[in-house]
Amino acid sequence: MNRFTTARNARFATIAVLVCTISGLALNSTGLLSDHGGQDAQIRQAAGLIPSLCYVAAIWMVERAFRSIERGQRIEVALGNLMQNLGLWLFLGGIAFVFVQPLLLKALTVSWGAWAWFDVPSITLGCLGLLLFVMARPLRDAAVARAEIEGIL
């Protein structure tokens, strides 16, 4: 791998870390530690962190992929791992927003709520995450086959 590609991947990894840091600061500023609104408000804020943490983990997977490529891992393998990890966290974030968050709120607060929220962006992210997760294995299998063929030739 040439120096330009390594330097570019290092910059992209740094950008991904900055995005994760900014996202973490935004999550911290949700007022979870304040006592405004009482216990129900704190439960709502805590339940709202679950999908957000999944999405921040998805962003972190991008940083890990850039670092893997920077360390010399084959791009096909790094992309396969990225697709699997990114897809898993996007899927979990969508599931957490649509099902886990409303169920937690229903169980832990005095107000009656829905069993699930029909949120098109979260459902879309979850479906895209599932697609990435499913397509990661064929990509990694193709990378292994390509390496075997290159080894024969």
Side-chain angles (χ1 to χ4, degrees):
M1 190 175 308
N2 63 30
R3 286 186 309 137
F4 173 73
T5 305
T6 303
R8 185 185 65 194
N9 287 338
R11 282 193 301 271
F12 286 140
T14 303
I15 290 169
V17 168
L18 287 173
V19 169
C20 282
T21 303
I22 291 168
S23 301
L25 291 173
L27 289 175
N28 192 29
S29 67
T30 59
L32 184 62
L33 301 177
S34 71
D35 58 350
H36 295 302
Q39 185 178 6
D40 279 357
Q42 288 181 337
I43 291 171
R44 280 193 299 278
Q45 290 169 346
L49 286 178
I50 296 169
S52 298
L53 290 173
C54 291
Y55 296 138
V56 169
I59 296 169
W60 189 258
M61 295 302 113
V62 174
E63 189 274 339
R64 288 184 57 201
F66 283 125
R67 295 286 182 199
S68 296
I69 294 169
E70 182 184 358
R71 286 190 303 267
Q73 187 177 39
R74 292 181 63 104
I75 290 177
E76 297 92 350
V77 175
L79 286 178
N81 292 335
L82 171 64
M83 286 174 59
Q84 180 181 10
N85 295 329
L86 180 68
L88 177 66
W89 285 110
L90 287 177
F91 177 72
L92 291 176
I95 292 294
F97 190 88
V98 173
F99 295 109
V100 174
Q101 187 175 357
L103 288 174
L104 277 175
L105 293 176
K106 189 174 185 72
L108 299 176
T109 62
V110 292
S111 62
W112 294 96
W115 291 96
W117 293 335
F118 183 77
D119 183 66
V120 175
S122 296
I123 293 170
T124 303
L125 280 175
C127 289
L128 287 173
L130 186 60
L131 174 69
L132 288 171
F133 184 80
V134 168
M135 294 305 296
R137 185 172 190 139
L139 181 65
R140 281 197 313 268
D141 291 346
V144 169
R146 180 178 174 183
E148 288 176 1
I149 290 171
E150 288 176 355
I152 293 171
L153 300 177

